[in-house]
Amino acid sequence: MLSSLPWTGDIVGVFSSGTVDMLAAFLTNDWLSDNHIHWILENYSRDIADTHPRSLIHLDTSLLTLIEVYGGGMSSESTEGHWLKRFNTRFTTGDIDRFGFMINVNGNHWVACVLDFRTHEILYGDSFHKPIRQAHLDVLRSWADDLLPKPGGHFNLKSLPITSQSDGFSCGILATNALASYCSDGVIPLISETSELVTTRLKTFLEIANRHNELVGTCIRICRL
Amino acid sequence: MSDNEHGGNPSQDEGVKQEDPNATINIKVVSSTGEEVFFKIKRSTKLSKLQGAYASKVGKDVSSIRFLYDGDRIQEDDTPLSLEMEDNDTIDVMVEQVGGRRL
């Protein structure tokens, strides 16, 4: 695979754009960027789409920031807040049981968050088991509570099961794994051993690289016809 | 970028034919700190072109910033038409995030 992959140009087959050389981060202990997290979540979403159609994984990592900027979307009368109102309607139809997304803390740490609409719980998973910041919780509650039927809908905070981090680079892998595990009812198991951190990175690399090679190969074959 | 005008408030184009790919649309690009840049582009123009123009204007590498519409990443081939964008819609810009957390 390493020799067959052209280490230049854009990656084909991912929703978030990036270049092939960025995949090298999955073969190292480098910190992961929002693009890497996006790609990991894309893979998990594909894995659970058929078995857990009522679980929704949000791929972009800026959701909390956007909710904060747009004030939850319910009270805003501005044009800019309309998209969040549209976004929120997907939860008021009752089609979604669990909604998972990632949060970047301090510009150096990835944590996972899941809204469970069955139990009215906000599940927060930090691989260092730090509590959620009050500012983040306030924004989340203010947004999430408005998604529940009135009157008196309220989300309670709970810990999301997550494997503890004992290194200085695996929070992204552990948080995305915790999110996917909860949203799949454990079909995607929680990482239990350190060696699985490496295999999870490698598996992600291979999935993206194989898809890239397959799609590029198909494109070349079509062009030659 | 030949079909955009940025740096000022957009005019309200009444009667823009939403289905006409050659019709223009006003788009506001807003950073997470609230800075706004306005573009006027054809509905069939790839938004990647707008992204490049925005990055140049703010003096950043386009790969270091993220463009979101309705909370989702804008993809390479997306156009205002394909995203069913409306006149005066907003694109949000976020900076690249990283994480690993040193012990």
Side-chain angles (χ1 to χ4, degrees):
Chain A
M1 173 54 72
L2 293 179
S3 58
S4 71
L5 194 66
W7 289 93
T8 184
D10 292 335
I11 304 173
V12 180
V14 291
F15 289 116
S16 162
S17 61
T19 50
V20 175
D21 60 300
M22 290 169 64
L23 294 179
F26 291 117
L27 306 175
T28 69
N29 289 334
D30 284 354
W31 285 17
L32 299 180
S33 73
D34 47 0
N35 275 336
H36 296 114
I37 298 296
H38 204 286
W39 298 332
I40 295 170
L41 294 178
E42 285 182 38
N43 286 345
Y44 279 137
S45 291
R46 286 190 190 94
D47 291 344
I48 69 169
D50 290 336
T51 56
H52 294 79
R54 296 172 70 87
S55 288
L56 179 63
I57 296 177
H58 190 70
L59 304 176
D60 188 74
T61 57
S62 301
L63 185 65
L64 189 67
T65 308
L66 283 175
I67 291 170
E68 196 169 8
V69 168
Y70 290 119
M74 288 299 187
S75 56
S76 172
E77 294 300 321
S78 66
T79 309
E80 291 81 1
H82 287 172
W83 78 261
L84 195 50
K85 287 179 185 170
R86 288 197 297 270
F87 186 84
N88 288 346
T89 57
R90 70 180 74 180
F91 306 112
T92 52
T93 58
D95 294 333
I96 304 297
D97 278 345
R98 280 158 285 184
F99 178 65
F101 56 98
M102 296 285 287
I103 300 171
N104 188 272
V105 179
N106 264 347
N108 62 12
H109 188 45
W110 294 114
V111 299
C113 191
V114 179
L115 294 190
D116 193 325
F117 288 90
R118 301 165 305 177
T119 57
H120 296 183
E121 287 170 338
I122 296 173
L123 296 112
Y124 181 81
D126 183 330
S127 51
F128 284 126
H129 305 290
K130 300 277 187 194
I132 187 171
R133 289 180 168 191
Q134 191 59 46
H136 285 174
L137 182 60
D138 290 346
V139 171
L140 274 176
R141 275 213 168 114
S142 159
W143 168 60
D145 286 352
D146 273 340
L147 301 175
L148 294 176
K150 298 288 180 293
H154 184 68
F155 274 88
N156 293 307
L157 181 65
K158 193 180 169 186
S159 290
L160 177 71
I162 186 169
T163 306
S164 297
Q165 184 177 351
S166 57
D167 59 33
F169 45 81
S170 292
C171 60
I173 296 292
L174 292 169
T176 49
N177 169 254
L179 190 157
S181 183
Y182 189 85
C183 288
S184 69
D185 292 315
V187 171
I188 296 170
L190 276 181
I191 288 171
S192 58
E193 292 178 26
T194 311
S195 62
E196 287 181 54
L197 292 169
V198 178
T199 52
T200 302
R201 279 186 181 244
L202 194 56
K203 185 170 169 276
T204 305
F205 166 79
L206 288 171
E207 271 191 57
I208 299 168
N210 280 326
R211 196 179 309 118
H212 173 88
N213 276 349
E214 207 174 292
L215 290 171
V216 170
T218 304
C219 182
I220 290 170
R221 282 195 293 278
I222 290 170
C223 290
R224 282 177 180 163
L225 287 175
Chain B
M1 188 166 192
S2 59
D3 56 353
N4 76 311
E5 298 165 1
H6 50 76
N9 281 316
S11 60
Q12 298 287 329
D13 282 354
E14 294 296 331
V16 172
K17 291 180 180 176
Q18 302 265 323
E19 69 279 8
D20 181 0
N22 288 319
T24 57
I25 182 172
N26 296 297
I27 295 174
K28 180 163 72 174
V29 181
V30 186
S31 73
S32 54
T33 53
E35 289 140 355
E36 301 176 345
V37 179
F38 294 92
F39 291 86
K40 186 172 188 173
I41 64 171
K42 286 180 185 173
R43 296 180 58 80
S44 56
T45 299
K46 283 187 182 178
L47 289 166
S48 55
K49 204 171 170 185
L50 177 150
Q51 293 173 18
Y54 177 85
S56 297
K57 183 165 179 64
V58 298
K60 287 186 177 172
D61 188 323
V62 73
S63 65
S64 71
I65 42 184
R66 314 289 182 239
F67 295 86
L68 308 173
Y69 178 64
D70 279 5
D72 292 318
R73 292 279 187 94
I74 292 174
Q75 296 178 50
E76 191 68 23
D77 293 330
D78 283 338
T79 66
L81 201 59
S82 71
L83 294 178
E84 299 180 356
M85 293 179 81
E86 295 170 6
D87 198 29
N88 296 319
D89 258 353
T90 299
I91 287 175
D92 292 289
V93 175
M94 296 287 159
V95 294
E96 181 182 31
Q97 300 166 312
V98 294
R101 190 72 170 268
R102 287 193 181 85
L103 293 170

